[in-house]
Amino acid sequence: MANFSLLIKPASGDCNLRCRYCFYLPKRELFGPGAHRMSAEVLETLTRKFLSVPMPVHTFGWQGGEPTLMGVEFYQQAVFFQRRYGATCGPIANSLQTNGTLLDAAWGRFLAQAQFLVGISIDGPAELHDISRLHGDGRGSHADVMRGLGVLREHRVEHNVLTLVSHANEDHAETVYNYLGELGVNYQQYIECVEFGPDGQRQPFALSPGKWGEFLCRIFDLWYPRDTRRVSIRLFDSILSRLLTGAPTICAMSGDCRNYFVIEHNGGVYPCDFQVRPELLLGNILTTDFSALQQQEKYRCWGQQKNPHQAKCAACRFLPLCMGDCPKNRHGGLSYLCEDWQVFYQHTIGRFEELAAALSAEQQAMAAAAQKPGAVPRTGQAAAPGATSGAVAGPQPGAYSGPPVGRNDPCPCGSGKKYKKCCGK
Ligand SMILES: C[S@@+](CC[C@H](N)C(=O)[O-])C[C@H]1O[C@@H](n2cnc3c(N)ncnc32)[C@H](O)[C@@H]1O
Ligand code: SF4
Ligand code: SF4
Ligand code: SF4
């Protein structure tokens, strides 16, 4: 079986906030009225079945809606089941993505002790964050999030920040980046808010045309070269990983959408966070297992829709990096952000290539030093922020810049198949 991770929604789309742009709040309507909470039976079953699949590391991602609505006790039970069913299965990792507003000392103690990695959503300083991230009564949530961030710090919980780039903050890259720097946040993730209404028009809160490319270029120019060894930015790490190892670390840059399963509170399994809809329900974890889910024709077809079918993509020099973008951003086949990606890659690729070459040289020098007689092996060293933590096989200059991919060339997604039999189908 191919490796995969889990994104679990124990409280479904239930949340104490009402962010203007939230794509998951409306999902509550799929599951009927009232509170949606995962039962111990679903929790135990998904844990047992996941940990029975051999994999180098089992990653549980807890998300929502707001996963802290479940209370600390739910996660204590999750860890209990992980110990019961995972005693011999190798490393287990837990991450939790939260709005941060409900964190208190009990949470801090638990998250630190159970070694959860916590993602906390912050869209910038209060004047930007509070435009979109609101309580039900319209109050901004920034002050509560800062309290939650304080809890994580006080208890030394590993954390990173997720910033949604929307109409509210699209013109404020410097303000956002410098603010996160002042907060001491060295692990950052920027994601794009691309949303269309039922009439096919861009939602007013979503990114305006051209703003995503501009935002990323500005962040890159603030980051490079000063902060490359200090600040990790998830998209940039993925680009470096692609250049260094051939494999990206984010799904939008891969050639196939079969990377993880979403498990809803009632055990329903879906292929992607953005695709929790009845027609993509793959089954229920109470009555099926992951091997059967992976073998489904519906799942295979789902994975392959990532292939960029557009002639413009096939001829694009950035295809091996962009891979036609995340299908949720596509509008009429081509990504709504196509021009933005081209602007961003055009502006940065030379410097990414330089950085990849420098990192590769450093890692080779370290490997050579470690092999000298008497050298102390450098195991357990944290990967340099900004660098890939994956295996390093040397940079692949030109991977992005060669001629357009030929039908008989190896597929840039790294599958080992010919392009025409894989992403170029
Ligand atoms: C759905 S929330 C769930 C976890 C938690 N409630 C939180 O806000 O971090 C996960 C992430 O999705 C982001 N998000 C919300 N609406 C989005 C949208 N329309 N497009 C992309 N990301 C979105 C949020 O900003 C948040 O960082
Ligand atoms: S806190 Fe998270 S789940 Fe809640 S409304 Fe905001 S983005 Fe959506
Ligand atoms: S649709 Fe987008 S977010 Fe979902 S798996 Fe595919 S690339 Fe990833
Ligand atoms: S930048 Fe545009 S043309 Fe190039 S691969 Fe991405 S979406 Fe396709």
Side-chain angles (χ1 to χ4, degrees), residues 13-19 21-22 24-25 64-66 99 133:
D14 295 0
C15 188
N16 61 319
L17 297 190
R18 290 290 177 273
C19 303
Y21 46 48
C22 185
Y24 214 81
L25 277 175
E66 181 47 44
N99 62 37
R133 300 192 63 87

Side-chain angles (χ1 to χ4, degrees), residues 352-408:
F352 271 123
E353 189 179 38
E354 276 172 24
L355 185 54
L359 287 168
S360 175
E362 278 168 29
Q363 297 196 7
Q364 280 167 17
M366 274 166 60
Q371 278 167 10
K372 281 194 184 143
V376 182
R378 302 172 76 120
T379 49
Q381 239 182 217
T388 171
S389 55
V392 172
Q396 303 177 340
Y400 57 87
S401 62
V405 190
R407 306 272 307 142
N408 285 314

Side-chain angles (χ1 to χ4, degrees), residues 292-305:
L293 288 166
Q294 278 194 332
Q295 283 162 27
Q296 274 188 41
E297 181 60 9
K298 196 200 267 190
Y299 191 52
R300 194 186 64 76
C301 294
W302 151 260
Q304 290 186 344
Q305 50 85 54

Side-chain angles (χ1 to χ4, degrees), residues 308 310 312-314 316-319 322-325 334-335 337-339 341-342 345:
Q310 300 290 309
K312 187 174 177 191
C313 294
C316 175
R317 64 185 288 233
F318 302 120
L319 175 65
C322 170
M323 294 306 289
D325 199 8
L334 189 67
S335 171
L337 301 176
C338 174
E339 303 270 308
W341 287 120
Q342 295 203 346
Y345 282 122

Side-chain angles (χ1 to χ4, degrees), residues 166-241:
S166 67
H167 185 60
N169 56 4
E170 64 190 12
D171 286 324
H172 302 281
E174 285 83 358
T175 307
V176 173
Y177 186 82
N178 291 337
Y179 179 69
L180 294 183
E182 282 160 25
L183 289 179
V185 174
N186 290 336
Y187 291 86
Q188 306 176 5
Q189 184 178 358
Y190 299 95
I191 53 176
E192 69 281 12
C193 183
V194 176
E195 292 287 344
F196 304 100
D199 57 359
Q201 295 298 304
R202 181 183 67 82
Q203 292 281 21
F205 53 74
L207 276 162
S208 320
K211 292 295 179 178
W212 177 238
E214 194 181 308
F215 187 96
L216 287 180
C217 288
R218 287 188 171 170
I219 295 286
F220 184 89
D221 290 344
L222 293 160
W223 177 77
Y224 186 96
R226 188 192 62 179
D227 288 348
T228 55
R229 308 309 171 99
R230 197 177 60 78
V231 177
S232 158
I233 296 177
R234 191 156 178 238
L235 171 67
F236 299 175
D237 289 353
S238 184
I239 292 167
L240 287 166
S241 178

